[in-house]
Amino acid sequence: MNSKTMSKDLFGDKRMGFFIYLFVEAVMFATLFATYLIYTPAPQGPHPSEVFEVKTVVLASIFLLLSSGTLMIAEKGLDRRNIKMILTGLLITFTFGAIFMYFEVHEFYTFVTEGHTISTNNFLSSFYVLVGLHASHVLFGLFWMIVLLIQRKLLPYNLFKEKHKIFNYYWHFVDIIWVGILIIVYIPYLI
Amino acid sequence: MQFYLFGDLIVLPTDVIAAWVSVIIGAPLVLYWFTKKRYWPVVWDFATSTNHRKIGMLYIIFALLFFFRAGIDALFIRMQLVTAENEFWVFQGDKYNEIFTTHGTMMIFFVAMPLLIGLMNVAVPLQIGANDLAFPFLNAIGFYLFLTGGMIFFAAFFFNAAPNAGWTAYAPLSTYEFTSGPNNNYYIFGLQVSGLGTIFAAINMIVTILRLRAPGLKLTRMPLFPWASLITSFLILVAFPVLAIALLLLQFDRFYGATFFIGEMGHPVYWQHLFWIFGHPEVYILALPAFGIFSDIISNFSRKNVFGYTSMVIALALIGLLGFMVWAHHMFTVGLGPFANTFFAITTMMIAVPTGIKVFNWLFTMRRGVIRLQTPMLFALGFIPTFVMGGVTGVMLASAAADMQYHDTYFVVAHFHYVIIGSTVLGAFAGLYYWYPKMTGKVLDDKLGKWHFWLFLIGFHLTFFPQHLAGLNGMPRRVYDYTWEDGVFVYNFISTIGAFLMGASMLFVLWNIYKTHRTKEENVGPDPWDGRTLEWSVPSPVPEHPFEKMPVIDRRDALWWAKQEGRSLPVADHPRASPIAVRTVQPLVLSAALTILSFGFIYGWVWMQILGGAASLGFFLLRAFNDERTEAYRKEEQDDE
Amino acid sequence: MKKLAMMAVLLVLSGCNLRVLDPKSQTASDQAFLIYLSFGIMMFVVLVVTVLFIGFTWKYRETEKNRYDTPKHEEGNRTLEIIWTVLPIILLIGLAIPTVMITYDVSDIGATSDETLHVNVTGEQFRWTFEYENGKQTHKNLVLPVDQEVVLHLTSNDVIHSFWVPKLGGKIDVLPGEENQMKITPNEEGTYQGKCAEYCGTLHTDMRFDTEVVDQEEFQQWLEE
């Protein structure tokens, strides 16, 4: 077997497989978006505009969207085999992701303390399921970045590069979903 | 059975006791038998393998196991319905509801799906010249997810908590307010876990078919079973995530006080939409692979190429596409209004056109051929009229106003058994007999196979044909009793006789397998059926990485033409890299973690949920640092330097 | 053998008065017409397939003579393929048009006059409640006057049920929190079985009622009892 093409062939397989997986995730989120649209605003209980808070949403969005940009630093480093760039990119992305998570938790916490729980009305139910599922994706991404940092030390570079690239796709995807959430969940009720 | 234990009244239904007793007696016997025959190394070999043939066989073995379980449920149903005002054992009221729910769910998700996915696993890579599926490790994960989901669902009965809201789990009946026990939690988690496995299997299949084909095997030269598998996998990609979210929403309704499907703000009909957006494509997910199997078998046993290949592929794709536009034909009586009803009626009727094209192409594949009536072909021949009968009742059901009469009656029960057994089950049997040599190196006995076929087919028609009439005479589905005045006794009585014939036919399968493996017959060689497609060019049972010499394909049925011209297929110089196999117990770890997690949710034990969640994350860590490609990549890097 | 023959005879005989095909209202007649029409069209399809199937299987089966023959390669046949694409489309159009018309007809639920009788139907686990305009309530029997238009207003107190009187027409689901309507005009006196057709829990089987269609006078009398 021609070993030089192996990592290329297998990475191609994996990339296609992972893109298909992201498509599956996209269908799941699409279903949740549909659910949200059907149930919002609810005929009773709080209206979204009474619940959402501009400041948290804006700050959370800034950090999450920026983190997609900072991940590009790591991507550049990956191609140039520049460990410093990779580490810098990953660490900044991780920090921004963590800050986003802070705002998410803060938002959920504020809502609950204000009495807007999951069983308050159907708008809030679908909101929590949709945004909560997204937040758990971000959380998983943070966990994944820690794993990546360790993998860099233990795995051959090509394999690490492959795993890192797969993570990049994931993180960008999670970002795109957030844009969807902004457009469908928040913006109609904040403007 | 009732007794007092420490002053508490304990009520144990006798069917649950019987189940436990049979397990307590049966399990040691099986363990003893395995030990005596020294099967444990084989079991371990299969359990830790990532080879597509072995995983495919595991899928089929467990699907058959579940088939017997769900089949016995069906016999209980038929026993309860054998005569009017009957009381068979405990199967009235809730127990009956549990048993038809289990029968339906299990047959669809844990029998039909894995039988087909198992056959895809065995045959598709070989038919396209791939050394394995693209992601062998993921394939093992997918199988264990199916098995875990199946076992969770299977276990419900042993804890006297079998799901009882029907396989469609219509809300609000399936919400906490109306079925508060753990019963329907088993449904949610059994399907959720196995559904994820199905999604992984589909991803694997698509990447394998799109990227791992032998050189020269263009998509337009591919046999029809891989084609059907490809299209089916795309259907899975869209259908199963919708089911996953529907189940998630139901879970939130049941556990966390959300009201998606219940209460003043909830829409119970939304559940039906979500369920059928998944559920109708699911029907084609079951049917299309069977169509593929039949196409290959009919062509092979008529010694002729497939008639109208291009239109066969287009028809497959059209059926798949239209499959997403017809879901509301399950909801004609909900009151969606005449516009929606007629729209979905017409899209449903349109499906008959590509299906008809396929039927005629099969018939004309046989024309001017030489038809060998061996067992796989018999099943294919039995399929054509059976499936056509199911298809025409399908068109009758599509007629929306008339469907208001058929809906939720035994007419519908008859219809979907005609299509699903007619295509999927007959297809799986045909495939099983056809590819058995590829799995084991032996051919199943033809005579016993014919017994199986005829008993099954006659039993099938006896069971389900009268149900059309019972439905037209006003018998709703999912009832455990009827009166003499209902005038459906005769139909039900015949039905029960048929069901037992089908049950008896399955014993021939067991006997056949036993008989085939008892004698140490010689290996049948690579090509017992004088095949046309690539899988018949490699040894039986197929070894790991059979295409070390990668064939080059220059036309459809290349193997057949090479045989005709007395030459062998040319070999490629620089084939692409093959997937890397590994021996691993990691899927077992994931399986254990998800079992803990699921039971934590089913019984609402938070500590167990946390434990299971942590264990699942632990699995990701385990996997992250145990990648089978590490060594290969390291070697590659050294070679580069 | 004798028993089997008896069974077959019974089967055929009982086929003659299947409830769905024994309509006692215009709606049910329309639906029965659709059933017969679709059955007829479909039997034609079944016949064609069966003839081809039996013919080909018999004619081209393996025999001593052709055992070693190699059939000719045959890609397909454009004309034939067009025929079996177009012909089903024509047949289906023949079914689709009446389907659309009748579906619109049976979905027309508005009351046509002040004479129309309105009955509130409530489904709950596991009984029906029929409430007339004067407040009279029944559970086991729905009494209707013959030849008079009736609009049923159906709703559920708990899970989904489905209201079905096979001889008077197709079923309509009974949903919690929503009202579905159904219009029927029974045209023959008699007692017809009614059932819940949507699985609704433990005693779904027992959720049955009788529909008694009586003449006007008797109905008025009954209503005032």
Side-chain angles (χ1 to χ4, degrees):
Chain A
M1 190 201 300
N2 188 348
S3 76
K4 286 194 179 130
T5 65
M6 186 183 68
S7 56
K8 220 174 114 224
D9 287 344
L10 295 190
F11 176 60
D13 295 345
K14 190 151 187 183
R15 184 173 51 193
M16 180 188 267
F18 195 73
F19 281 167
I20 299 173
Y21 177 71
L22 290 182
F23 171 76
V24 169
E25 292 250 353
V27 177
M28 291 193 197
F29 277 107
T31 315
L32 284 178
F33 281 132
T35 308
Y36 182 84
L37 287 172
I38 288 171
Y39 288 113
T40 310
Q44 42 184 281
H47 190 266
S49 54
E50 301 161 28
V51 177
F52 294 151
E53 199 190 328
V54 182
K55 203 178 88 189
T56 324
V57 177
V58 170
L59 283 173
S61 307
I62 289 174
F63 280 102
L64 193 64
L65 296 181
L66 273 183
S67 77
S68 238
T70 55
L71 193 60
M72 303 273 190
I73 303 175
E75 282 181 63
K76 276 252 165 61
L78 216 49
D79 292 330
R80 297 185 195 160
R81 214 168 168 158
N82 182 337
I83 303 296
K84 228 179 216 166
M85 278 176 86
I86 299 175
L87 287 183
T88 321
L90 267 184
L91 283 174
I92 299 177
T93 310
F94 182 88
T95 316
F96 283 5
I99 296 174
F100 170 84
M101 274 315 289
Y102 165 76
F103 284 118
E104 279 294 287
V105 173
H106 172 77
E107 185 184 41
F108 277 32
Y109 181 77
T110 321
F111 287 2
V112 172
T113 47
E114 284 169 357
H116 303 316
T117 66
I118 193 162
S119 50
T120 306
N121 70 8
N122 273 350
F123 141 64
L124 282 162
S125 306
S126 40
F127 168 82
Y128 278 115
V129 176
L130 169 58
V131 181
L133 188 68
H134 176 265
S136 63
H137 275 73
V138 176
L139 196 64
F140 189 83
L142 295 179
F143 171 75
W144 193 342
M145 277 190 263
I146 297 172
V147 171
L148 267 182
L149 287 174
I150 307 170
Q151 279 178 329
R152 186 190 67 81
K153 297 219 160 165
L154 298 176
L155 298 181
Y157 186 75
N158 270 343
L159 191 56
F160 166 69
K161 185 174 161 186
E162 178 180 315
K163 288 184 184 286
H164 198 311
K165 282 201 164 172
I166 297 290
F167 169 75
N168 294 347
Y169 303 139
Y170 175 82
W171 194 257
H172 293 316
F173 171 79
V174 172
D175 243 30
I176 293 169
I177 295 296
W178 181 254
V179 174
I181 291 178
L182 274 181
I183 294 171
I184 293 172
V185 175
Y186 289 107
I187 291 176
Y189 301 103
L190 286 176
I191 295 171
Chain B
M1 193 167 96
Q2 304 184 353
F3 58 90
Y4 284 93
L5 190 72
F6 307 119
D8 290 329
L9 178 69
I10 309 271
V11 183
L12 273 183
T14 47
D15 59 326
V16 176
I17 296 173
W20 276 105
V21 168
S22 56
V23 166
I24 289 166
I25 295 173
L29 283 176
V30 172
L31 294 182
Y32 171 75
W33 182 56
F34 271 47
T35 312
K36 194 181 156 220
K37 292 268 185 180
R38 296 173 202 280
Y39 281 155
W40 290 112
V42 183
V43 172
W44 184 249
D45 175 50
F46 272 69
T48 57
S49 171
T50 59
N51 176 258
H52 71 95
R53 173 180 71 94
K54 289 176 183 161
I55 290 179
M57 285 173 72
L58 285 176
Y59 265 115
I60 293 170
I61 289 167
F62 281 97
L64 285 176
L65 193 80
F66 290 136
F67 190 61
F68 278 96
R69 158 71 208 277
I72 290 169
D73 286 346
L75 293 182
F76 287 152
I77 292 175
R78 287 316 322 165
M79 280 306 291
Q80 168 60 28
L81 291 177
V82 65
T83 173
E85 289 152 32
N86 190 27
E87 284 202 14
F88 170 71
W89 203 358
V90 291
F91 299 110
Q92 299 87 39
D94 273 334
K95 273 287 169 194
Y96 183 85
N97 299 341
E98 288 174 13
I99 214 141
F100 75 66
T101 304
T102 310
H103 167 77
T105 315
M106 202 165 243
M107 282 291 187
I108 301 265
F109 290 97
F110 305 120
V111 178
M113 299 278 305
L115 272 178
L116 294 171
I117 292 177
L119 288 171
M120 286 183 202
N121 248 294
V122 172
V124 168
L126 302 178
Q127 290 191 308
I128 63 172
N131 275 317
D132 205 331
L133 286 180
F135 313 111
F137 180 82
L138 185 71
N139 194 22
I141 293 283
F143 164 71
Y144 275 98
L145 287 177
F146 145 67
L147 184 61
T148 310
M151 283 302 181
I152 290 171
F153 193 84
F154 192 90
F157 175 69
F158 286 87
F159 302 110
N160 196 24
N164 56 6
W167 88 277
T168 49
Y170 269 18
L173 184 63
S174 56
T175 57
Y176 186 78
E177 196 178 336
F178 298 104
T179 45
S180 55
N183 306 48
N184 291 311
N185 301 345
Y186 278 99
Y187 173 89
I188 294 178
F189 285 91
L191 296 199
Q192 198 68 286
V193 171
S194 68
L196 188 63
T198 309
I199 290 173
F200 289 157
I203 293 174
N204 219 335
M205 212 48 79
I206 294 175
V207 176
T208 308
I209 294 171
L210 291 183
R211 285 185 54 92
L212 269 72
R213 296 191 311 280
L217 183 67
K218 297 179 195 164
L219 283 176
T220 51
R221 291 174 182 167
M222 205 160 66
L224 284 168
F225 183 51
W227 255 119
S229 304
L230 182 66
I231 292 168
T232 303
S233 302
F234 278 110
L235 295 188
I236 290 174
L237 292 187
V238 183
F240 271 76
V242 177
L243 175 70
I245 294 300
L247 291 170
L248 184 74
L249 296 180
L250 184 61
Q251 184 189 344
F252 270 81
D253 269 12
R254 284 184 70 88
F255 296 173
Y256 307 119
T259 54
F260 292 109
F261 307 122
I262 196 172
E264 279 172 58
M265 289 177 289
H267 302 313
V269 176
Y270 186 50
W271 166 266
Q272 298 184 18
H273 280 293
L274 287 180
F275 188 85
W276 290 118
I277 287 174
F278 148 77
H280 202 82
E282 167 71 10
V283 176
Y284 297 106
I285 291 167
L286 297 178
L288 294 187
F291 291 172
I293 295 173
F294 289 128
S295 297
D296 284 3
I297 288 180
I298 289 176
S299 155
N300 187 340
F301 287 85
S302 305
R303 217 177 284 165
K304 238 176 113 246
N305 61 317
V306 173
F307 189 91
Y309 175 90
T310 316
S311 62
M312 285 298 246
V313 174
I314 293 173
L316 278 175
L318 267 181
I319 295 173
L321 200 67
L322 286 171
F324 283 103
M325 293 158 59
V326 299
W327 78 87
H329 70 213
H330 298 270
M331 302 160 63
F332 282 150
T333 62
V334 166
L336 298 176
F339 178 76
N341 282 352
T342 48
F343 173 82
F344 284 103
I346 289 168
T347 50
T348 307
M349 289 181 190
M350 277 157 64
I351 290 192
V353 177
T355 315
I357 292 174
K358 294 195 77 72
V359 170
F360 285 110
N361 277 331
W362 284 317
L363 289 172
F364 278 74
T365 303
M366 284 159 39
R367 186 182 66 154
R368 297 182 189 148
V370 178
I371 302 172
R372 277 174 295 158
L373 292 173
Q374 281 162 300
T375 312
M377 185 61 171
L378 272 184
F379 276 100
L381 290 178
F383 150 77
I384 292 177
T386 309
F387 184 75
V388 167
M389 282 173 69
V392 298
T393 52
V395 175
M396 291 169 71
L397 283 160
S399 177
D403 178 74
M404 291 167 185
Q405 284 286 20
Y406 308 129
H407 182 81
D408 263 338
T409 69
Y410 263 80
F411 191 88
V412 175
V413 176
H415 160 73
F416 67 69
H417 281 95
Y418 262 86
V419 279
I420 295 181
I421 296 185
S423 63
T424 311
V425 176
L426 292 181
F429 285 146
L432 192 66
Y433 282 96
Y434 184 54
W435 284 306
Y436 201 78
K438 271 303 134 202
M439 296 182 231
T440 64
K442 292 169 190 292
V443 175
L444 284 171
D445 187 85
D446 199 47
K447 203 169 160 195
L448 287 177
K450 281 174 179 160
W451 270 97
H452 170 213
F453 168 74
W454 283 111
L455 270 182
F456 189 86
L457 194 79
I458 295 169
F460 166 79
H461 284 279
L462 272 183
T463 311
F464 294 105
F465 189 80
Q467 295 187 356
H468 292 114
L469 302 171
L472 288 178
N473 207 11
M475 183 169 173
R477 66 194 279 206
R478 295 170 170 177
V479 293
Y480 63 85
D481 199 8
Y482 52 89
T483 65
W484 291 103
E485 295 84 65
D486 290 356
V488 290
F489 158 70
V490 179
Y491 311 128
N492 279 289
F493 189 71
I494 297 173
S495 227
T496 302
I497 296 174
F500 276 87
L501 274 185
M502 287 167 84
S505 81
M506 288 310 294
L507 299 178
F508 281 91
V509 181
L510 294 183
W511 185 15
N512 201 341
I513 292 173
Y514 171 74
K515 192 184 164 203
T516 308
H517 287 272
R518 189 188 50 185
T519 47
K520 279 235 179 300
E521 270 175 58
E522 278 180 23
N523 191 299
V524 292
D527 192 10
W529 309 115
D530 194 10
R532 311 175 70 85
T533 40
L534 214 48
E535 74 267 37
W536 307 111
S537 68
V538 294
S540 308
V542 62
E544 301 209 0
H545 288 227
F547 296 105
E548 284 303 344
K549 284 187 183 145
M550 181 61 73
V552 179
I553 308 299
D554 51 0
R555 62 181 301 178
R556 251 173 250 152
D557 295 342
L559 177 69
W560 170 259
W561 292 104
K563 284 196 289 189
Q564 289 295 301
E565 292 156 20
R567 62 184 168 90
S568 54
L569 290 165
V571 175
D573 292 334
H574 295 292
R576 54 151 290 160
S578 294
I580 295 169
V582 61
R583 197 152 280 291
T584 173
V585 291
Q586 288 179 39
L588 283 161
V589 175
L590 180 64
S591 177
L594 286 177
T595 308
I596 297 170
L597 185 68
S598 299
F599 274 92
F601 276 111
I602 289 169
Y603 286 100
W605 297 324
V606 177
W607 62 271
M608 209 163 153
Q609 295 168 12
I610 294 169
L611 186 70
S616 308
L617 275 184
F619 160 79
F620 280 105
L621 281 179
L622 186 67
R623 170 65 185 163
F625 299 107
N626 285 289
D627 195 311
E628 65 275 4
R629 290 166 306 165
T630 311
E631 281 315 302
Y633 276 50
R634 194 159 275 149
K635 190 167 167 297
E636 187 186 57
E637 271 175 28
Q638 282 160 1
D639 290 351
D640 276 355
E641 278 157 17
Chain C
M1 207 57 223
K2 217 173 185 180
K3 262 187 186 166
L4 269 180
M6 281 277 289
M7 290 273 182
V9 173
L10 266 175
L11 190 72
V12 174
L13 281 181
S14 53
C16 298
N17 53 1
L18 294 169
R19 289 190 177 82
V20 165
L21 302 177
D22 182 21
K24 307 289 184 199
S25 81
Q26 191 53 46
T27 311
S29 306
D30 288 349
Q31 284 163 336
F33 162 75
L34 262 188
I35 293 173
Y36 281 123
L37 176 73
S38 56
F39 182 75
I41 297 176
M42 287 301 122
M43 276 310 107
F44 171 70
V45 176
V46 171
L47 192 75
V48 172
V49 172
T50 310
V51 167
L52 290 178
F53 174 75
I54 294 176
F56 290 167
T57 314
W58 184 254
K59 192 166 169 203
Y60 301 108
R61 73 191 188 286
E62 188 183 56
T63 55
E64 287 304 325
K65 257 193 217 153
N66 66 7
R67 179 151 293 166
Y68 301 101
D69 291 357
T70 304
K72 253 211 339 249
H73 181 81
E74 191 179 19
E75 274 302 326
N77 183 322
R78 184 66 57 81
T79 326
L80 279 174
E81 287 179 59
I82 289 175
I83 291 175
W84 63 60
T85 310
V86 173
L87 202 66
I89 294 180
I90 295 171
L91 290 179
L92 286 173
I93 291 175
L95 178 59
I97 291 171
T99 295
V100 172
M101 285 164 57
I102 293 174
T103 305
Y104 269 89
D105 271 356
V106 303
S107 307
D108 168 30
I109 41 172
T112 47
S113 74
D114 297 344
E115 294 286 290
T116 305
L117 178 70
H118 292 267
V119 183
N120 287 327
V121 180
T122 310
E124 63 194 315
Q125 289 175 325
F126 297 92
R127 66 170 188 181
W128 296 97
T129 304
F130 307 104
E131 190 191 2
Y132 291 83
E133 280 160 295
N134 66 356
K136 186 179 169 87
Q137 281 193 354
T138 61
H139 297 295
K140 273 284 154 201
N141 51 339
L142 170 65
V143 181
L144 299 175
V146 72
D147 290 328
Q148 184 179 342
E149 187 177 272
V150 188
V151 174
L152 304 173
H153 303 259
L154 308 108
T155 188
S156 165
N157 281 342
D158 38 47
V159 300
I160 301 176
H161 306 276
S162 192
F163 176 92
W164 188 32
V165 183
K167 291 194 179 185
L168 294 184
K171 51 195 80 65
I172 183 88
D173 286 0
V174 181
L175 304 164
E178 252 166 90
E179 186 188 282
N180 268 336
Q181 290 181 19
M182 186 180 192
K183 186 166 79 175
I184 34 176
T185 313
N187 55 21
E188 199 179 310
E189 289 175 34
T191 304
Y192 313 125
Q193 282 191 343
K195 285 163 189 163
C196 172
E198 179 67 62
Y199 169 59
C200 61
T202 315
L203 296 177
H204 164 58
T205 309
D206 296 345
M207 219 174 132
R208 303 167 68 134
F209 58 94
D210 279 324
T211 309
E212 293 166 27
V213 178
V214 296
D215 68 43
Q216 280 288 352
E217 259 170 58
E218 204 178 328
F219 175 72
Q220 288 304 334
Q221 226 171 14
W222 176 84
L223 198 60
E224 267 131 48
E225 260 171 33

